[in-house]
Amino acid sequence: MTQPVPPVEPFALPSHGARPATLRRRVAGMRARRCAALLDGLPEAVLEIDPHGSVAGCNRAAEQLLGIPAGRAAGRTLEDLLGCGLPDEETASTRGWAPRDDGGRIPVELAAGPPVAGHRLVVLRDLRARLEAEERLREAHELAELARRGRTEFIANMSHELRTPLNAILGFAEIIRDQLVGPIGNPLYSEYARDVHDSGSHLLQVINDILDLAKVEAGQMTLREDLVMPAAAVGTCLRLLRQRADQAGVALVDLTAGAAPVGLLADERKLKQMLFNVIGNALKFTPEGGRVSVAIEVTPEAELAIIVRDTGIGIAAEDLERVMVPFGQAAAGLDRPYEGTGLGLPLTRGLVELHGGRLRLDSTPGEGTTVRLVFPAARLRPAPTAASAAASRAAG
């Protein structure tokens, strides 16, 4: 608690009979007492250092911090008292240790003001609370990093353990489905084999997404960059998703025909993975009779944006953050009307950020959702001409 400032006699003009020297001494004394009272009222510990580098005085907060009265501190150097010297003008502050009578030490930070008539004021700050907070933060960071590494290793190991038998299941189901070793007596067996293959393929895709997301979060995902034509990548994805759109009664529209002919330095497989995730989500959440469109544009900042718009159910504002979290979905609970793991958007954001870009999500419930995959201008390249493409094929 801050000590109350004791009353100090006001500056009063002495009688006309006082000598000039006496007058100056009295004024100087009153000023010294006033300054001492003001310093004693400060909550910070303050030391006065004389031109020889020794302590000339200190306030009450300094006495409490150092655990010694001003008389025992006077005449001692900072090196002797705190184990450090005065901070110079470049460092502005330094650290030392204040010894206590009980044998303990208190970490302190010293900040010095400019010299006045050879004297300097040094402010001491107790660092115990700050250092304890930094230590707790460091420990929390280490625990979080340990948990993250453990989770990544667990997912990687489990993904490997699951993928191996799944590949065997898919292989045998494919043999039965296609009747590669002879005809099946009952055609129902072929349908069952197709169901097994489809379910196994879906489960394998989920495992691959989990593993990819774990790699992205662990910083272990690498890019195989090449010059990619974004419009061609969009066209490939739309062709593969066309049947799903037709079955759902959703119009799938390619608006990339008028896009600027630019290339993109990117990992083509991961770019298509992003497009499959975003367009697939749009198809899943757009009811029959709706529309999903894909466009490409170069922004005024010379960035490349791939824009997927749908007329689906939309996402409420309070759910926008949730759908960007792994396994998070706008509709929670086991009775949600749409299936899915909630990995598509978080994985897509991780992949586009791996390219130095960003994912922007805008949505209005009942009207639809717009997802923008924005790639930085540094990744744009001129589209290859027919002559350069032919030369490249000849060289290859």
Side-chain angles (χ1 to χ4, degrees):
M1 180 179 296
T2 303
Q3 297 291 333
V5 178
V8 180
E9 58 184 287
F11 287 107
L13 291 176
S15 64
H16 293 289
R19 295 181 178 181
T22 304
L23 188 93
R24 286 194 294 270
R25 285 196 298 271
R26 292 183 60 184
V27 171
M30 287 187 287
R31 285 176 176 169
R33 288 192 294 274
R34 181 177 291 274
C35 288
L38 290 173
L39 289 176
D40 278 339
L42 292 176
E44 291 85 3
V46 180
L47 300 178
E48 180 188 354
I49 308 300
D50 65 21
H52 304 290
S54 301
V55 175
C58 63
N59 66 353
R60 288 180 181 146
E63 290 180 333
Q64 295 173 359
L65 179 62
L66 298 174
I68 57 176
R72 288 178 54 188
R76 299 174 64 178
T77 65
L78 288 177
E79 187 68 38
D80 175 45
L81 191 62
L82 302 174
C84 65
L86 272 172
D88 54 35
E89 295 181 359
E90 293 183 359
T91 57
S93 65
T94 187
R95 291 188 178 186
W97 294 89
R100 300 296 302 240
D101 286 340
D102 57 7
R105 297 193 307 169
I106 298 176
V108 293
E109 181 181 60
L110 292 77
V116 177
H119 288 244
R120 299 180 70 179
L121 291 182
V122 175
V123 178
L124 306 181
R125 296 184 180 91
D126 189 340
L127 294 180
R128 285 176 294 184
R130 186 199 301 180
L131 293 179
E132 288 173 2
E134 291 176 355
E135 179 64 17
R136 288 195 298 269
L137 186 61
R138 185 189 62 80
E139 292 176 354
H141 179 74
E142 289 180 353
L143 288 175
E145 180 64 19
L146 185 63
R148 186 189 62 78
R149 287 201 305 266
R151 182 187 64 180
T152 301
E153 292 174 1
F154 170 77
I155 291 175
N157 292 335
M158 288 302 299
S159 296
H160 174 74
E161 294 298 325
L162 291 171
R163 288 163 83 178
T164 301
L166 261 179
N167 285 327
I169 293 171
L170 291 174
F172 287 119
E174 188 173 344
I175 291 173
I176 299 172
R177 181 196 64 190
D178 298 338
Q179 304 183 48
L180 297 180
V181 294
I184 299 176
N186 192 323
L188 285 176
Y189 290 139
S190 181
E191 293 184 18
Y192 296 157
R194 183 167 55 252
D195 292 340
V196 171
H197 188 275
D198 291 346
S199 299
S201 297
H202 174 71
L203 183 56
L204 184 59
Q205 183 59 51
V206 171
I207 293 171
N208 288 335
D209 285 348
I210 293 175
L211 184 57
D212 284 346
L213 185 62
K215 287 181 178 179
V216 170
E217 292 182 342
Q220 298 174 351
M221 180 73 77
T222 57
L223 297 177
R224 296 183 177 179
E225 298 179 345
D226 200 356
L227 182 61
V228 181
M229 298 306 295
V234 169
T236 300
C237 295
L238 293 182
R239 282 194 300 274
L240 294 174
L241 291 169
R242 183 74 61 186
Q243 182 179 1
R244 187 195 303 183
D246 292 342
Q247 291 174 347
V250 176
L252 192 55
V253 184
D254 186 351
L255 300 178
T256 63
V262 295
L264 181 68
L265 185 63
D267 186 314
E268 184 173 8
R269 188 187 73 82
K270 291 179 176 59
L271 175 62
K272 291 178 179 178
Q273 186 177 3
M274 290 183 258
L275 293 172
F276 273 121
N277 286 341
V278 175
I279 301 171
N281 260 7
L283 290 173
K284 179 167 64 174
F285 294 106
T286 299
E288 185 177 359
R291 182 175 186 265
V292 174
S293 65
V294 185
I296 296 176
E297 68 178 30
V298 177
T299 69
E301 294 78 20
E303 297 175 317
L304 182 77
I306 302 177
I307 306 166
V308 179
R309 290 188 176 92
D310 67 60
T311 59
I313 60 174
I315 306 170
E318 61 269 19
D319 292 327
L320 288 176
E321 291 187 7
R322 183 189 303 171
V323 299
M324 298 306 299
V325 176
F327 305 105
Q329 296 190 357
L334 297 176
D335 58 344
R336 59 180 185 267
Y338 299 95
E339 295 182 354
T341 58
L343 291 173
L345 285 177
L347 177 57
T348 300
R349 181 172 65 176
L351 292 176
V352 74
E353 289 177 351
L354 197 61
H355 286 79
R358 63 188 185 278
L359 184 150
R360 178 178 169 185
L361 180 64
D362 299 298
S363 189
T364 302
E367 295 184 11
T369 300
T370 299
V371 178
R372 289 177 173 84
L373 304 178
V374 184
F375 296 88
R379 288 192 170 272
L380 271 63
R381 297 290 186 274
T385 63
S388 64
S392 178
R393 287 195 298 269

